[in-house]
Amino acid sequence: IVQNNSYSNKARFLASEILFYKDKNYPPENLKKSLAQIYATALVEKYSCSYNLWSFPTVTHIRGLHFIKLGTKALPALLLLLDNNKKLLFDGSSDAFQGSIYKFRIKDMAAVFISHICHITFKVYRNPAKRDVQIEQIKQILNNGVCKPKKYSGFDCSYF
């Protein structure tokens, strides 16, 4: 299903999530670039029932870890998301409250993922304008090809 373009991106995303849980060596290198596009679409269109499953201002969760596992192949898709100002709504009382304080956006989540892949600092300030300054710096780093990828740690996603 994941490799078959005749299925919807949502079906391919959900099938990929199952494979992440079942196979610690997933995904193969040849799928990472197309998966990055699918995961970018899934993030923007909220294929998961909650943004809490992706990331939170100070913690990256399972969907985000899967995106990060795609490594440098995910960078072109993530770079495009750095211009997306869509505000994210989190579920739950505590998470929703903190999410509203941070005014977390798609672009912030993309910056968090890029910071993990490229081993660069992204401080999640409460003030979105301060985060925007860093996001512009991240764009410059990526456009100049200065990403220093961090080797994937190999955590076992089946435990989440």
Side-chain angles (χ1 to χ4, degrees):
I1 292 173
V2 174
Q3 297 180 48
N4 190 332
N5 290 337
S6 66
Y7 286 96
S8 70
N9 277 341
K10 188 171 187 176
R12 295 170 72 198
F13 167 74
L14 294 172
S16 179
E17 282 297 294
I18 292 168
L19 292 171
F20 268 114
Y21 286 107
K22 296 290 185 185
D23 182 357
K24 68 178 181 178
N25 296 315
Y26 181 80
E29 200 63 35
N30 66 321
L31 284 182
K32 289 182 177 181
K33 188 173 183 178
S34 63
L35 279 175
Q37 292 298 325
I38 292 168
Y39 272 69
T41 302
L43 179 60
V44 171
E45 295 183 12
K46 196 178 176 187
Y47 289 169
S48 295
C49 59
S50 171
Y51 282 116
N52 302 49
L53 298 172
W54 288 88
S55 186
F56 199 65
T58 56
V59 179
T60 302
H61 292 289
I62 195 67
R63 300 278 187 302
L65 295 173
H66 292 166
F67 209 156
I68 292 165
K69 189 175 178 182
L70 301 176
T72 56
K73 302 279 180 155
L75 293 177
L78 287 167
L79 182 61
L80 294 175
L81 295 180
L82 291 177
D83 291 321
N84 191 318
N85 284 306
K86 178 181 177 183
K87 288 189 174 92
L88 305 177
L89 300 175
F90 294 93
D91 295 329
S93 57
S94 175
D95 288 352
F97 177 71
Q98 286 187 336
S100 68
I101 290 172
Y102 280 88
K103 298 178 181 99
F104 214 46
R105 305 155 299 180
I106 294 281
K107 69 191 317 182
D108 299 310
M109 203 173 283
V112 167
F113 299 159
I114 292 167
S115 73
H116 285 288
I117 294 168
C118 293
H119 200 224
I120 55 178
T121 301
F122 179 72
K123 292 185 181 180
V124 185
Y125 296 107
R126 281 190 179 182
N127 182 338
K130 285 185 175 182
R131 294 193 309 264
D132 286 342
V133 170
Q134 293 180 102
I135 288 169
E136 289 306 313
Q137 292 169 342
I138 288 172
K139 287 179 186 178
Q140 288 178 355
I141 288 169
L142 293 181
N143 287 327
N144 291 331
V146 188
C147 174
K148 296 176 183 169
K150 202 157 95 168
K151 180 143 175 58
Y152 172 68
S153 66
F155 52 80
D156 184 353
C157 298
S158 65
Y159 292 112
F160 295 96

